[in-house]
Amino acid sequence: MCIRDRRRVHGENISKLKNISSLMSDVSENREDDEIEEEEDEDEIANFDVESLQGGEEDVNINNKPTIDQPQIKIEQSDMDPTCGTFIFANEDHTIGNALRYILIQNSDVQFCGYNIPHPSENFMNFRIQSTGKQCTEVMKDGLISLSNVCDTIENTFD
């Protein structure tokens, strides 16, 4: 691989990291909105009426497959313990997983972190974090920002 190809691939990886960082900030904001919506949903469930379903059918996307340009992150976190969580990254592999694990394990707030890719034909990565007291979403966001800064430094050094 020539230097020009390496720079192109490196640039693509940096743009992916920046997209993931912005998604993490969106996820943090949406999580607070979801808590408010859950309270509203509970009221709607209590007032559920079968006749309301007999209207028109809505278009539902059952595939929910992410595009290459927009990586998606899903968070599986217990309400009981906000310091532990599993982040499911769509369209990501060992490149981001191992680099992010390396960055996060150096953080003093991280008690455990690891990732796995369940099967090569499945296009997602599970990333587990357990922190000492800080919310896992904040720890992940800090790790993604640190990784993005490292990539920027590498890019500036070799340009």
Side-chain angles (χ1 to χ4, degrees):
M1 181 182 281
C2 69
I3 293 174
R4 189 175 304 140
D5 291 337
R6 287 184 186 158
R7 286 182 181 167
R8 182 184 52 80
V9 170
H10 181 69
E12 290 171 1
N13 287 338
I14 287 175
S15 65
K16 275 181 153 183
L17 280 173
K18 290 180 181 177
N19 286 339
I20 290 171
S21 295
S22 66
L23 281 173
M24 282 303 298
S25 62
D26 292 345
V27 166
S28 297
E29 293 170 5
N30 290 340
R31 215 160 175 59
E32 294 169 2
D33 294 340
D34 288 345
E35 292 173 2
I36 294 169
E37 289 177 7
E38 284 178 10
E39 293 172 3
E40 294 172 358
D41 289 343
E42 289 174 4
D43 293 337
E44 290 178 12
I45 291 171
N47 299 327
F48 178 73
D49 185 14
V50 176
E51 293 176 7
S52 65
L53 292 176
Q54 294 176 350
E57 293 183 9
E58 295 181 19
D59 293 333
V60 178
N61 182 6
I62 58 172
N63 293 335
N64 284 338
K65 291 184 179 177
T67 62
I68 293 175
D69 297 333
Q70 298 176 346
Q72 293 183 352
I73 302 172
K74 180 180 175 186
I75 301 173
E76 293 181 358
Q77 182 179 14
S78 170
D79 293 335
M80 304 292 280
D81 189 7
T83 62
C84 299
T86 301
F87 299 82
I88 301 170
F89 291 83
N91 289 330
E92 295 300 337
D93 57 8
H94 294 286
T95 305
I96 297 289
N98 199 29
L100 185 59
R101 182 197 57 80
Y102 177 78
I103 294 291
L104 282 173
I105 204 68
Q106 295 176 352
N107 187 340
S108 61
D109 291 327
V110 175
Q111 191 172 30
F112 169 81
C113 76
Y115 78 96
N116 75 340
I117 297 176
H119 193 273
S121 67
E122 295 177 357
N123 201 15
F124 64 92
M125 171 185 68
N126 297 319
F127 201 98
R128 178 84 175 152
I129 295 178
Q130 182 173 348
S131 67
T132 56
K134 202 172 178 182
Q135 285 192 356
C136 66
T137 53
E138 291 300 316
V139 172
M140 176 61 85
K141 186 176 175 181
D142 293 344
L144 287 169
I145 290 169
S146 297
L147 184 56
S148 179
N149 292 338
V150 168
C151 290
D152 287 341
T153 302
I154 291 171
E155 183 179 35
N156 292 336
T157 303
F158 289 105
D159 275 345

